[in-house]
């Protein structure tokens, strides 16, 4: 069943959080995510150590089901899973 039109966010016990300074914009999370939950945005970002990117990856929490695949596959460990209800 496609969840593209369904809100799966309420299924989660953990949510992924992307550290934009650790992200190298490799797109791996976007490729592996089984839901349409990783957004590839035309949003420039400059990291604290001065790397410039034209795109930013963000999580669409309305569609993320909290499976953790993105965090597992990220080559720089830029994504961590945070328990729901816990502030970052
Ligand atoms: S897999 Fe990790 S480094 Fe690659 S785009 Fe996603 S968050 Fe960034
Ligand atoms: S936790 Fe799963 S559903 Fe959510 S963004 Fe990561 S890979 Fe996609």
């Amino acid at each position: 069943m496609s969840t593209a039109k369904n809100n799966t966010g309420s299924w989660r016990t953990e949510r992924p959080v992307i550290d934009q300074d650790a992200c190298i914009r490799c797109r791996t999370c976007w490729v592996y995510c089984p839901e349409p939950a990783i957004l590839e945005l035309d949003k420039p970002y400059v990291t604290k150590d001065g790397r410039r990117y034209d795109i930013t990856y963000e999580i669409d929490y309305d569609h993320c089901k909290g499976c953790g695949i993105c965090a597992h596959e990220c080559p720089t460990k830029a994504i961590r899973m945070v328990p729901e209800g816990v502030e970052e």
Side-chain angles (χ1 to χ4, degrees):
M1 182 182 80
S2 170
T3 55
K5 291 179 182 166
N6 300 323
N7 183 327
T8 56
S10 59
W11 301 356
R12 274 195 317 267
T13 56
E14 292 183 314
R15 68 183 185 280
V17 175
I18 300 177
D19 176 348
Q20 296 295 342
D21 290 293
C23 173
I24 58 171
R25 277 61 176 174
C26 69
R27 211 185 206 197
T28 301
C29 54
W30 186 92
V31 170
Y32 277 90
C33 177
E35 305 294 333
I38 306 258
L39 306 175
E40 187 178 72
L41 304 174
D42 290 327
K43 190 169 157 184
Y45 186 84
V46 181
T47 62
K48 291 189 183 95
D49 60 0
R51 301 191 320 274
R52 292 174 178 273
Y53 294 108
D54 293 332
I55 57 171
T56 299
Y57 290 91
E58 293 185 2
I59 309 294
D60 175 354
Y61 290 112
D62 283 344
H63 293 111
C64 169
K65 62 184 180 184
C67 68
I69 290 173
C70 55
H72 185 260
E73 296 296 335
C74 175
T76 63
K77 300 299 173 206
I79 304 177
R80 64 194 172 90
M81 301 302 290
V82 176
E84 285 293 350
V86 173
E87 294 299 318
E88 290 173 49

